[in-house]
Amino acid sequence: MRIGQVIVDIASSLVDKIFDYLLPEQDIAVGSRVLVPFGKIKKDGYLIKITENTNYDVIKLKTIIACIDDFPVITSDQLKLAEFMKEKFHIGMCDALRLFLPSELRQGKVKELTKTNCFIQDENKAKEFLSTTRSNAKAIIGIINYLLEHGSTTKTILANKFNSASLNKLIEQNIVQTQITKVRRTPYKSVDEEKQQKSITLTSTQQSIVDRVISEKNIYLLHGVTGSGKTEVYMHCMEKILENNQTGIMLVPEISLTPQVLMNFRSRFGENVAILHSGLSAGERFDEWQRILFGEAQIVVGARSAIFAPLKNIGLIVIDEEHDNSYTSDSNPRYNTIEIAKERAKISGASLVLGSATPSLISYHNAMVGNYQLLEMKERINKKELPPLKIVDMTNEIREGNIGVFSNSLKKALIKTIESGNQAMLFINRRGYASFLMCKKCGFVAKCEDCDVSLVYHKSEKSLKCHYCGNRYKVLTECPNCGNEELSTGAVGTERVVQEIKEFLPNVSISRMDNDTTKTKDSHLKILSDFRNGKTQILVGTQMIAKGHDFPSVTLVGIIDADVSLYQTSYTSNEQTFQLITQVAGRAGRADKAGEIYLQTYAPRHYVYRLASFYDYPAFYNKEINLRQTTLYPPFSKIIRILFTSENENLAKECTKVYYDDVKNLQSEFLNDFVYLGVMKSPIGRIQNKYRLQILMRIKPENEDKITDKLFEIADNHKMRDVKIFVEINPQNLN
Ligand code: ADP
Ligand code: ZN
């Protein structure tokens, strides 16, 4: 007797278990999607295992109705990974399996793209036909000669060159044969054309790193300063991986960054590269997924979800800019990409390379205590100096009567840069014109109706926007509270920076890159290529412009308001600020021209700025890790947040309270492990009209697994229909 264990495709923790079915006559492979009877209805499911026995009454077992696709859609490695995610992150099997599939497959929406090829099978017959054709039948003669000369050609091309009536006639008379084949959509096809195949000889540092990664399976932390040639190392490693008939995954933080890495990978590896990220169209994603599953593409480049790609025989996983926030998923399902990559590497016996100019404190600590192997690239290619970073004291500017966005020195430098024909990047981590609008008389601040946050002023759109739920309101012309028409604006955003530049450089062309200007599919690409081609001279943007970009003509980088990041209320704010500055600064002076950086702040003596200006990561690490150790913050503890959200405030409070009582009991059981336990309203008490409460704790590492298991268990016990409970481990964002 053969029993098929099936995960039914219903994303509800209530049915998150394995159901046993009898297997039908025909063979079904593990990893296939199947149709099964479920209660009174039929449901899709995933066959995850075939066994000989069952704990249920065999007579009552139902039989799998059918296999849905022609091939298994989930690999055995992926099944193991799903098990791990269930254990580690408490993600339901069904939710985990869904991460492996393009959603279009499950919804059955994607149409396969096909093309019809025309060709001549019997040349003699065709030539005979030609000899009997009247000489004025130009199209007929043309088509046959063309096919005899060029071989198989698509019907569309032939119909355009000649005419479709003649072509159809030839097909009807069986002189021309046709064959329908599938076509794959290729995302970012245009980048192929920008091929810049230069052959590069690795430096000895680069070469020894490549050799080590390929010859010794391990977890590596590659700490290389900006412009040290990390991307080149990744590509050479992937070349070796291909030579060994293995496959590889290359993760990059954001879509805005992908085009460049992609361009490099495409020009080196051509069709062997597949791309996976959320910016693709449904059809493109489906095709890329198929190319990977069928082994047509051996290297996958993509954002964090590419870690789930259906590759077989993985030899290498690279996570570039490993410190980046985007590797933590803070919406459901919540997971940490690095942890998943470690497990995936373990399952397939692959090496894992975490690369960054500013590793996360946790990763660097792992390297220091020997969990990871540290690889270092301390110099830029050609031993170029890192560009000098000047700290500008904005309190001085105010004292001198300058209340504008730009200090005099940055303004001068910007003018000089433009006059000398170079380019500048200006970074401000806030989009819109100003962080809020406030009545000068009564202090009224415009707030979102559905969230407890103030609205951001977007001047060009004449609107106020909520950056949490996306609500949009008409801009105020007077205070709705007291009628006063004098309104003051809050802290500076990207839009305002652009406006101020226009006041002193009226003829320069400026691009703005932030969430507002990059909504459409190819807008990132367009902004970046305009800047690269010199169509625009200044690029103003949020953290989107900080990462990875390699623009040779950029000689000036301005950090307009560094304090935005430093004064967040997070234990990682020092770390994040150091990373951000180093990354942004790394965009300047990458090619032959020297670069410089201006960092504007109201706290010029802060050690984060001082150490960032020396590019001294190890010194920063030492200082910060000591602080973390004395205060028992990660990596010396885990921060766990249990977040409760509900439209019903009382229900949320009730649920939080019962849960908190259970955690209290847990605390008495593990008294020595709890560094901190507290319950409170979340810093943002309401988002999208859902009230938010949280239990926060810090746990020492020793028993942390046991405790998180219990916390997940408590969450399962307190399930309420109208309250959502999220257990988050070391969350990036504690809003
Ligand atoms: P990183 O990713 O460390 O910031 P990149 O890989 O982007 O650095 O390299 C910076 C620049 O140096 C790129 O333009 C790259 O093509 C070039 N480069 C990298 N390695 C070499 C090498 N061995 N010889 C010459 N140029 C190199
Ligand atoms: Zn809102």
Side-chain angles (χ1 to χ4, degrees):
M1 182 184 54
R2 290 165 76 229
I3 306 287
Q5 299 190 333
V6 173
I7 299 288
V8 180
D9 194 10
I10 302 174
S12 153
S13 39
L14 299 173
V15 284
D16 186 36
K17 55 178 187 183
I18 295 167
F19 292 90
D20 285 359
Y21 287 90
L22 295 171
L23 282 170
E25 297 280 298
Q26 96 248 34
D27 238 357
I28 302 182
V30 170
S32 298
R33 289 198 303 157
V34 289
L35 190 66
V36 293
F38 190 73
K40 289 196 169 61
I41 54 171
K42 293 174 192 169
K43 286 295 295 177
D44 292 357
Y46 308 96
L47 179 63
I48 60 160
K49 199 175 172 186
I50 295 176
T51 63
E52 299 287 314
N53 24 32
T54 173
N55 295 330
Y56 298 94
D57 186 352
V58 178
I59 303 181
K60 286 191 187 152
L61 286 189
K62 294 179 182 157
T63 307
I64 291 175
I65 301 168
C67 185
I68 297 174
D69 312 288
D70 307 334
F71 45 86
V73 294
I74 294 173
T75 67
S76 57
D77 285 3
Q78 286 178 322
L79 284 173
K80 287 182 201 149
L81 198 62
E83 296 279 351
F84 167 80
M85 289 162 68
K86 185 177 170 61
E87 280 276 299
K88 179 91 186 175
F89 300 111
H90 203 59
I91 295 175
M93 276 301 273
C94 175
D95 290 312
L97 296 177
R98 281 182 177 187
L99 287 170
F100 301 151
L101 302 175
S103 57
E104 294 75 19
L105 179 78
R106 291 181 23 244
Q107 293 155 0
K109 271 191 204 147
V110 203
K111 284 212 180 65
E112 283 193 327
L113 213 60
T114 59
K115 65 176 177 194
T116 307
N117 281 320
C118 298
F119 57 98
I120 289 173
Q121 201 149 39
D122 188 340
E123 283 192 19
N124 292 334
K125 187 173 159 193
K127 282 176 185 160
E128 211 181 293
F129 184 82
L130 262 188
S131 65
T132 61
T133 305
R134 282 179 293 121
S135 62
N136 62 350
K138 292 229 165 65
I140 299 262
I141 298 170
I143 292 171
I144 295 176
N145 280 330
Y146 191 91
L147 284 175
L148 286 173
E149 188 179 334
H150 294 89
S152 178
T153 309
T154 67
K155 198 171 171 183
T156 329
I157 292 179
L158 287 176
N160 285 340
K161 267 194 187 313
F162 306 96
N163 70 61
S164 50
S166 310
L167 180 58
N168 285 334
K169 212 159 126 197
L170 285 169
I171 294 170
E172 243 167 62
Q173 295 181 355
N174 219 12
I175 305 296
V176 169
Q177 280 73 32
T178 59
Q179 188 186 26
I180 297 173
T181 55
K182 278 191 233 170
V183 186
R184 308 240 194 254
R185 284 150 281 227
T186 315
Y188 295 113
K189 225 175 181 157
S190 59
V191 306
D192 278 346
E193 288 146 23
E194 290 188 43
K195 270 189 187 180
Q196 21 116 284
Q197 193 70 277
K198 47 180 176 184
S199 82
I200 279 179
T201 324
L202 292 188
T203 63
S204 58
T205 314
Q206 285 174 320
Q207 188 62 54
S208 66
I209 289 175
V210 172
D211 293 345
R212 173 119 185 251
V213 167
I214 294 302
S215 62
E216 185 190 323
K217 280 202 171 63
N218 224 319
I219 304 178
Y220 296 97
L221 178 64
L222 172 56
H223 178 212
V225 299
T226 56
S228 56
K230 296 187 287 296
T231 314
E232 208 53 54
V233 167
Y234 306 147
M235 288 198 284
H236 273 80
C237 288
M238 290 296 179
E239 261 170 33
K240 294 273 183 259
I241 288 296
L242 282 187
E243 282 169 19
N244 295 345
N245 284 324
Q246 289 182 304
T247 65
I249 299 179
M250 164 90 195
L251 299 186
V252 291
E254 258 181 57
I255 298 165
S256 66
L257 185 61
T258 320
Q260 198 169 2
V261 178
L262 198 69
M263 199 152 63
N264 289 333
F265 271 73
R266 263 280 158 77
S267 67
R268 186 107 17 129
F269 301 108
E271 291 282 298
N272 288 332
V273 176
I275 303 138
L276 283 183
H277 66 63
S278 55
L280 301 185
S281 72
E284 286 172 340
R285 197 169 355 186
F286 180 75
D287 288 357
E288 290 297 76
W289 174 82
Q290 275 202 16
R291 291 203 313 125
I292 303 165
L293 186 69
F294 297 149
E296 292 168 26
Q298 295 86 36
I299 296 174
V300 177
V301 180
R304 69 169 179 242
S305 62
I307 194 63
F308 303 120
L311 285 171
K312 290 161 196 141
N313 193 17
I314 300 175
L316 176 67
I317 301 174
V318 174
I319 303 188
D320 190 25
E321 313 282 358
E322 66 87 31
H323 63 278
D324 195 89
N325 280 348
S326 69
Y327 292 122
T328 311
S329 158
D330 56 9
S331 59
N332 277 350
R334 289 163 200 241
Y335 60 85
N336 176 321
T337 312
I338 295 186
E339 293 301 322
I340 292 183
K342 280 192 208 168
E343 183 68 18
R344 186 134 204 210
K346 193 165 121 194
I347 292 169
S348 4
S351 272
L352 172 63
V353 176
L354 309 172
S356 176
T358 51
S360 78
L361 235 63
I362 292 183
S363 294
Y364 203 77
H365 182 255
N366 268 317
M368 291 297 112
V369 299
N371 295 337
Y372 303 164
Q373 307 305 308
L374 184 64
L375 306 168
E376 291 184 289
M377 292 164 63
K378 296 182 178 171
E379 285 178 332
R380 280 191 160 181
I381 289 292
N382 300 331
K383 305 209 187 305
K384 262 191 80 68
E385 293 284 317
L386 285 159
L389 190 154
K390 298 177 186 126
I391 297 174
V392 183
D393 183 353
M394 292 303 277
T395 60
N396 265 342
E397 301 290 318
I398 291 190
R399 249 178 269 132
E400 287 166 12
N402 174 12
I403 53 162
V405 170
F406 286 88
S407 60
N408 283 316
S409 50
L410 177 54
K411 194 189 228 170
K412 262 193 217 137
L414 188 57
I415 295 172
K416 206 174 115 211
T417 303
I418 299 307
E419 280 174 353
S420 57
N422 292 319
Q423 291 182 307
M425 287 170 89
L426 298 171
F427 167 80
I428 170 83
N429 217 359
R430 196 184 287 114
R431 66 193 165 95
Y433 186 83
S435 57
F436 59 82
L437 270 190
M438 184 169 83
C439 171
K440 278 191 176 169
K441 207 162 159 196
C442 75
F444 169 89
V445 173
K447 293 240 161 88
C448 178
E449 281 170 15
D450 297 328
C451 313
D452 291 343
V453 297
S454 42
L455 296 169
V456 177
Y457 178 29
H458 289 253
K459 192 173 184 180
S460 56
E461 297 173 47
K462 298 190 176 61
S463 67
L464 296 170
K465 285 198 218 167
C466 173
H467 284 189
Y468 285 84
C469 72
N471 276 352
R472 185 191 277 259
Y473 306 79
K474 246 184 92 173
V475 70
L476 299 175
T477 48
E478 56 170 46
C479 172
N481 200 29
C482 71
N484 172 32
E485 287 179 6
E486 269 194 303
L487 302 171
S488 64
T489 51
V492 179
T494 45
E495 225 185 289
R496 169 117 184 254
V497 172
V498 172
Q499 181 183 313
E500 285 215 6
I501 301 171
K502 285 187 178 149
E503 285 167 16
F504 59 88
L505 283 170
N507 297 321
V508 69
S509 60
I510 308 168
S511 292
R512 175 159 66 91
M513 186 157 163
D514 56 29
N515 275 339
D516 298 308
T517 61
T518 51
K519 284 216 172 72
T520 56
K521 192 175 160 236
D522 290 327
S523 46
H524 290 98
L525 274 174
K526 170 102 177 67
I527 295 175
L528 294 173
S529 71
D530 281 355
F531 191 56
R532 180 177 300 282
N533 302 335
K535 254 190 219 161
T536 52
Q537 277 79 54
I538 301 178
L539 181 61
V540 174
T542 55
Q543 94 293 346
M544 281 183 183
I545 67 169
K547 299 164 187 175
H549 305 292
D550 193 15
F551 298 114
S553 295
V554 171
T555 56
L556 176 70
V557 164
I559 302 172
I560 302 289
D561 183 358
D563 305 342
V564 181
S565 155
L566 191 63
Y567 294 118
Q568 307 168 76
T569 52
S570 161
Y571 73 97
T572 58
S573 59
N574 286 342
E575 177 182 358
Q576 287 190 32
T577 307
F578 187 91
Q579 285 162 348
L580 207 52
I581 296 171
T582 313
Q583 293 294 339
V584 187
R587 301 313 115 215
R590 290 172 72 89
D592 321 326
K593 301 171 191 166
E596 55 179 350
I597 296 119
Y598 287 79
L599 180 154
Q600 303 191 147
T601 170
Y602 289 90
R605 272 165 292 279
H606 199 289
Y607 73 89
V608 170
Y609 297 149
R610 201 164 35 80
L611 295 174
S613 75
F614 302 141
Y615 298 98
D616 196 345
Y617 179 86
F620 171 76
Y621 168 80
N622 283 331
K623 187 154 175 87
E624 198 63 20
I625 204 79
N626 279 329
L627 198 69
R628 299 267 181 103
Q629 187 151 31
T630 38
T631 51
L632 288 181
Y633 271 89
F636 304 100
S637 69
K638 279 250 155 99
I639 294 184
I640 300 176
R641 165 165 87 159
I642 326 249
L643 177 68
F644 301 82
T645 71
S646 173
E647 283 184 16
N648 183 328
E649 190 174 12
N650 286 330
L651 266 188
K653 279 185 179 161
E654 210 176 288
C655 187
T656 310
K657 189 183 173 312
V658 213
Y659 197 116
Y660 184 63
D661 289 342
D662 282 0
V663 182
K664 274 265 183 217
N665 288 335
L666 189 64
Q667 186 190 26
S668 54
E669 200 181 321
F670 291 90
L671 209 48
N672 287 327
D673 296 286
F674 275 71
V675 182
Y676 171 84
L677 172 65
V679 58
M680 66 211 75
K681 239 172 116 169
S682 297
I684 298 181
R686 193 172 51 112
I687 294 180
Q688 280 189 309
N689 220 6
K690 292 203 176 75
Y691 292 88
R692 299 154 55 82
L693 291 112
Q694 63 190 31
I695 298 171
L696 257 189
M697 57 200 109
R698 295 212 308 279
I699 312 277
K700 285 188 201 159
E702 292 77 33
N703 288 312
E704 158 235 309
D705 278 351
K706 266 190 223 155
I707 294 173
T708 31
D709 276 352
K710 292 261 167 120
L711 290 171
F712 286 138
E713 215 173 274
I714 302 175
D716 285 343
N717 293 340
H718 292 304
K719 233 165 241 158
M720 266 196 210
R721 229 191 35 204
D722 296 321
V723 183
K724 288 220 165 75
I725 308 178
F726 306 105
V727 180
E728 300 174 315
I729 298 161
N730 284 351
Q732 290 288 345
N733 154 357
L734 284 170
N735 284 337

